Amino acid sequence: MQAEPVITLSKARLVMGQRMILRDVTAVIERGGPTVLLGPNGCGKTSLLKAMMGLVSLTSGTVDRHVGRASFVLQKPVMLRRSVYDNLAFARQTAGLPHSESVMTDLLNDFSLTHLAHAPARRLSGGEQQRLAIARALAREPALLFLDEPTASLDVAQTRLVEDLIARISARGVKIILSTHDLGQAKRIADDVLFLVEGQLAEQAPMASFFHAARSSQARAFLAGELVSIDGEKP
Amino acid sequence: MDATSAFSLILERDPALFAIVGLSLWVSLSATLLAGALGAGLGSAVALTRFPGRQGVVVVLNALMGLPPVVVGLLVYLALSRSGPLGQFGILFTPTAMIIAQTILIVPIIAALTRQVMEDLWGEYADELNAMGVTPWRRMRVLLWDARFSLVTILLAGFGRAAAEVGAVMIVGGNIDGFTRVMTTTIALETSKGNLPLAMGLGVILLTIVVAVNSLAWAVRAWAERHAG
């Protein structure tokens, strides 16, 4: 049986100024466990996520979303100048969802934020803000959740906490598409991997295949800890 | 001059002095509220929209922050005088004319500072609010709310400017005793007459108000940082 597509990218190209950010990316992302966009810094992971969310317009090519509401968690989430509770309530309002005290209570509980409900969101620690950002994204009850390097600035304990949350959210049936440059995290989280090099999709494969039998020379070089470029030459 | 005379006028709650203070506060507070509504709206609109000539509008708004009060007074005088376009309303030499002059004087200050605050905040919030699919109208409301403490500080700056100016209200108010006489025009007049105790008394009150306004601005920001992040 063929899996249900969530996102279809067709020759997605993004040019900003003189720089080509995305180079004709073509891929189908299917329903299931988390999809990880992997690649070195500056390879276009964030731009591809934003293009899939509709936050940037492609120069050419198309991106089609086949599921309902999507939420996006930025690499550096911005907390609104209000309480934790009000940040969550605002996210629900923007999605046109009715206020629900039980949903709010569940979100606060699930993300261990109950004791901080009335604290100013901007006063939270980095890890707490990241948890709130994900909770806020979930308050919109999305079918699809984009996470841009969600643990980039967190310590090990907070990273473990966020990764556990990602696994729980995915188990609830929310499709997660996440970017990271951390190989270990990709291995721990991914169901399948899209590997990008300088804006080009070098490989798309299930996680196990990617890590144990990568087809592209760039992926093999990246997994070996080498610097990679489109043409396979060491930059 | 006997310095204690100034303070005795304040301590004895001299009716003439307190009438002047009351009118000054009424005129400047009214102008600040009007200019706040106009300036915050204008500044937000310029910050959050893109249109041809926008940079020119920003430059003009910034330049108008230094608008000379006497020029504003002169323009409002010409507009409100009997032969002017608004002469039919007969409001020249009334507190209403003074409110109009002060409003015109501080709208650019409030608009220019609001634009800067809103533009900075939008730079910070843009990706987040776009990701949430927030509509342009709601975006403005969110930014105004989240910038509320900065906007209060801006309003207080506008009030300070209005309360301290003398040229515009002198021209359009006429400094009529018991009717349009405010603190700054009285200080100028009484100083020229040599009645220094009253001028000093008003000066002390004016300074106290300015210090109180600045203290309030500081307190608002400190409270905001503690409670709203």
Side-chain angles (χ1 to χ4, degrees):
Chain A
M1 191 182 78
Q2 203 170 13
E4 191 185 342
V6 174
I7 296 233
T8 306
L9 292 156
S10 177
K11 294 186 176 178
R13 176 179 290 197
L14 178 64
V15 181
M16 286 182 172
Q18 300 293 310
R19 197 165 160 233
M20 193 176 290
I21 311 290
L22 297 175
R23 299 169 189 264
D24 300 335
V25 176
T26 296
V28 176
I29 297 174
E30 294 170 344
R31 201 177 280 282
T35 294
V36 168
L37 304 189
L38 185 64
N41 284 332
C43 70
K45 300 186 294 288
T46 298
S47 298
L48 185 56
L49 276 184
K50 286 185 172 177
M52 289 192 276
M53 181 69 189
L55 295 178
V56 294
S57 301
L58 294 172
T59 308
S60 63
T62 57
V63 52
D64 294 313
R65 275 209 327 246
H66 307 290
V67 291
R69 191 180 295 122
S71 284
F72 195 104
V73 177
L74 300 170
Q75 186 174 346
K76 289 181 183 166
V78 177
M79 298 296 118
L80 304 182
R81 285 176 186 157
R82 49 195 85 186
S83 69
V84 167
Y85 186 95
D86 288 343
N87 265 268
L88 294 175
F90 177 79
R92 278 188 75 77
Q93 278 174 19
T94 61
L97 295 167
H99 180 76
S100 162
E101 204 55 50
S102 67
V103 170
M104 300 289 280
T105 306
D106 288 348
L107 279 170
L108 290 167
N109 279 336
D110 289 351
F111 288 83
S112 309
L113 292 167
T114 305
H115 64 296
L116 295 167
H118 299 292
R122 288 181 174 234
R123 309 276 286 193
L124 304 186
S125 70
E128 289 164 345
Q129 287 200 8
Q130 197 65 33
R131 295 207 309 272
L132 173 56
I134 299 173
R136 192 171 62 182
L138 283 183
R140 294 167 48 79
E141 298 183 6
L144 178 57
L145 177 60
F146 296 102
L147 301 167
D148 187 12
E149 304 249 10
T151 60
S153 54
L154 302 184
D155 61 23
V156 174
Q158 292 290 341
T159 297
R160 187 172 294 128
L161 210 57
V162 170
E163 288 183 359
D164 287 346
L165 287 170
I166 290 170
R168 276 158 51 195
I169 295 162
S170 179
R172 282 188 218 163
V174 177
K175 174 66 185 180
I176 291 176
I177 302 178
L178 168 153
S179 72
T180 184
H181 63 271
D182 180 343
L183 280 173
Q185 182 167 68
K187 215 177 235 181
R188 290 190 297 275
I189 289 177
D191 199 49
D192 62 321
V193 173
L194 268 71
F195 178 62
L196 290 169
V197 180
E198 294 180 16
Q200 192 172 70
L201 181 63
E203 185 159 345
Q204 179 177 13
M207 188 274 281
S209 307
F210 179 80
F211 280 99
H212 300 114
R215 297 187 307 275
S216 66
S217 59
Q218 293 102 326
R220 286 194 299 273
F222 185 70
L223 291 169
E226 294 170 11
L227 298 173
V228 291
S229 65
I230 295 175
D231 53 14
E233 296 288 322
K234 289 180 184 176
Chain B
M1 186 207 68
D2 181 2
T4 56
S5 309
F7 291 100
S8 63
L9 281 174
I10 298 170
L11 294 174
E12 288 164 10
R13 298 190 179 186
D14 181 75
L17 183 137
F18 276 84
I20 290 166
V21 172
L23 180 65
S24 299
L25 289 175
W26 162 247
V27 168
S28 296
L29 283 173
S30 303
T32 304
L33 288 178
L34 276 173
L38 294 170
L42 178 62
S44 303
V46 175
L48 301 179
T49 55
R50 296 291 176 271
F51 53 87
R54 179 179 172 278
Q55 282 304 322
V57 172
V58 171
V59 169
V60 169
L61 272 184
N62 288 341
L64 290 179
M65 284 204 292
L67 208 54
V70 285
V71 174
V72 173
L74 177 61
L75 292 175
V76 174
Y77 178 91
L78 291 173
L80 299 182
S81 62
R82 196 172 293 275
S83 57
L86 303 174
Q88 59 188 330
F89 296 109
I91 54 174
L92 189 62
F93 303 129
T94 66
T96 305
M98 296 156 74
I99 291 170
I100 291 171
Q102 287 197 347
T103 301
I104 293 171
L105 190 67
I106 61 175
V107 158
I109 296 172
I110 292 174
L113 296 177
T114 299
R115 182 204 61 81
Q116 190 62 58
V117 165
M118 294 288 274
E119 209 163 294
D120 291 347
L121 198 58
W122 176 235
E124 193 185 340
Y125 279 25
D127 278 349
E128 202 70 71
L129 295 185
N130 285 335
M132 290 191 208
V134 175
T135 59
W137 174 239
R138 184 170 214 153
R139 182 189 301 168
M140 187 182 282
R141 282 166 46 206
V142 170
L143 292 175
L144 280 171
W145 178 249
D146 276 27
R148 58 197 180 279
F149 300 112
S150 298
L151 293 177
V152 168
T153 307
I154 291 170
L155 280 182
L156 293 175
F159 173 75
R161 165 80 157 156
E165 80 84 23
V166 59
V169 287
M170 180 78 90
I171 293 173
V172 303
N175 200 20
I176 301 166
D177 191 14
F179 187 51
T180 59
R181 189 160 291 179
V182 289
M183 282 189 282
T184 51
T185 57
T186 310
I187 290 170
L189 177 70
E190 297 301 327
T191 303
S192 68
K193 283 162 54 183
N195 185 5
L196 297 183
L198 181 57
M200 273 295 288
L202 285 166
V204 167
I205 291 174
L206 192 54
L207 275 174
T208 305
I209 289 171
V210 170
V211 170
V213 163
N214 279 287
S215 303
L216 185 60
W218 178 85
V220 164
R221 183 158 287 280
W223 185 89
E225 282 173 3
R226 269 203 315 278
H227 292 91

